[in-house]
Amino acid sequence: MLTDIHCHILPGIDDGSKELEQSLAMARIAIDDGIDTIFATPHHFNGVYSNPRQAVLDQVDRLREALARERIWLRILPGAENHIVPELPDALADGTTLTMGDFGRAALVELPVHTVPASTEQILERILQQDIVPIIAHPERNTYLRRHPERLRRMIELGCLAQVTAQSCTGLFGPQVRAASRHMISSGLIHFVASDAHRDRRRIPEITPALEQVTEWTNRQVAELIGKEFPAALARGDVPDPQALDAVQEAPGSRPWWQRWFS
Ligand SMILES: [Fe+2]
C-alpha cells in the first residue's frame, strides 16, 4: 500500500478540495490507486491561506468521521504545507503550525514558485536545530532550483529531505518540470513521491503512474524507497534515513551496462 505525504484533501480551507463531496471523491481515487494513508497538508503562511495547527486537527477529525460514515477506509494524518517565512521555526517550536502527522519529527516546507529567498538556508537550519527535518515540497516546480539544482543539494546536505510531485514525473506541468524531476530523482535529491492533489479531476491523488516512470529513470529499488518505504516511515512517525537511497542508487541496474563494465 502507498502513503501520500502531500495532499490538499481537506475541504474548503485552501485551494484544494472545494467541499466534502469532492474530498470523498478524492479519497476513492486514492484507494483505487493503492493509497491507504494520506497526510492532509493544507497551505499555511503562504500569504493567502492560514491554517494553524488546531484548525487543521479539527478538520481532520471531521473528514475522518465522514470517511467512516461512507465506509471509506482511508487513514488521514494531519499536516501542513508551510510556506517558508521567517516566523516558521518559532511556529513549529510553539506548536501553532503542524509537523507531519503532528509527530514533531518532520515538516513540509514550500518555497516560492520562481525564487529561493536569501534567508532560506538560515530558516531551514533553525528548523533543523529543533530536530525537525524540513521536507522541501516539489523543488522541481521552482524555477530557480530547476536551473540551479546544486542549491537543492546544499539543502539536502544540511539535512533536509525533498518531495517530488507525482504528476511532475508524468508530464502534467510540462517538459521542463518533467526533466527536472528526472534529474533530481536520478541525482538522489528526492526522498518522497507524493500527489499534491487538489481535486478529483486532473490534479488527483494518484502516485502509481509516477512510480512506473521513476523505475524507468532509475531502478525498482529507488522507486520502492521514495514511493513506498520512506513515505510509510513518515506515517509511522519516523524520519527515513536518506543513506538507504544512496545505497540503491549505486545498485546494479542503476547505471548503464557500459559504465558498470568499465568501472
Ligand atoms: Fe501543495
Side-chain angles (χ1 to χ4, degrees):
M1 297 306 276
L2 298 169
T3 298
D4 187 4
I5 73 154
H6 183 166
C7 188
H8 299 263
I9 194 170
L10 295 177
I13 62 170
D14 67 356
D15 57 347
S17 168
K18 285 189 187 313
E19 57 201 1
L20 183 59
E21 275 312 307
Q22 190 166 56
S23 301
L24 297 175
M26 289 170 76
R28 291 190 181 97
I29 292 169
I31 284 178
D32 283 348
D33 191 54
I35 294 166
D36 69 354
T37 303
I38 284 182
F39 284 89
T41 52
H43 288 289
H44 189 42
F45 285 134
N46 73 347
V48 183
Y49 302 106
S50 177
N51 285 298
R53 176 173 174 274
Q54 195 53 52
V56 178
L57 292 178
D58 293 346
Q59 288 289 335
V60 165
D61 278 348
R62 243 169 271 167
L63 180 58
R64 283 172 175 162
E65 283 166 23
L67 288 168
R69 254 195 330 266
E70 296 288 321
R71 301 186 176 277
I72 300 172
W73 309 120
L74 181 70
R75 182 183 181 211
I76 305 291
L77 293 171
E81 182 173 12
N82 295 291
H83 201 83
I84 190 133
V85 289
E87 55 267 44
L88 178 56
D90 287 342
L92 287 165
D94 62 25
T96 52
T97 189
L98 272 164
T99 55
M100 296 300 280
D102 205 16
F103 297 131
R105 305 287 312 276
L108 191 61
V109 177
E110 180 193 45
L111 299 171
V113 178
H114 297 297
T115 59
V116 176
S119 58
T120 296
E121 283 80 0
Q122 202 186 338
I123 296 171
L124 294 173
E125 279 184 314
R126 282 185 57 210
I127 297 170
L128 283 158
Q129 280 161 11
Q130 301 173 39
D131 278 331
I132 297 173
V133 174
I135 299 172
I136 310 297
H138 40 66
E140 81 284 1
R141 284 163 56 198
N142 175 283
T143 312
Y144 182 88
L145 289 180
R146 274 204 298 280
R147 292 187 193 136
H148 301 278
E150 70 279 3
R151 185 86 183 266
L152 175 63
R153 182 173 294 282
R154 241 162 63 201
M155 296 177 204
I156 304 303
E157 283 168 359
L158 287 177
C160 299
L161 300 174
Q163 169 256 315
V164 80
T165 293
Q167 290 180 322
S168 296
C169 302
T170 51
L172 185 75
F173 301 101
Q176 289 175 330
V177 172
R178 186 159 182 257
S181 306
R182 179 179 190 163
H183 176 75
M184 289 173 181
I185 292 168
S186 304
S187 308
L189 299 175
I190 296 294
H191 310 87
F192 305 97
V193 182
S195 77
D196 192 11
H198 282 64
R199 294 278 186 274
D200 57 346
R201 265 174 230 173
R202 209 173 116 90
R203 296 191 65 184
I204 56 174
E206 190 179 68
I207 295 175
T208 304
L211 297 189
E212 285 159 19
Q213 182 63 84
V214 171
T215 304
E216 212 175 284
W217 286 340
T218 56
N219 59 46
R220 194 152 294 284
Q221 297 102 303
V222 169
E224 279 283 317
L225 280 183
I226 71 176
K228 292 184 185 168
E229 290 183 31
F230 285 1
L234 215 57
R236 289 193 303 269
D238 296 332
V239 175
D241 177 4
Q243 283 189 349
L245 189 58
D246 298 340
V248 296
Q249 289 273 0
E250 292 301 314
S254 65
R255 288 178 295 161
W257 64 269
W258 62 87
Q259 283 185 13
R260 275 178 279 136
W261 198 263
F262 293 111
S263 60

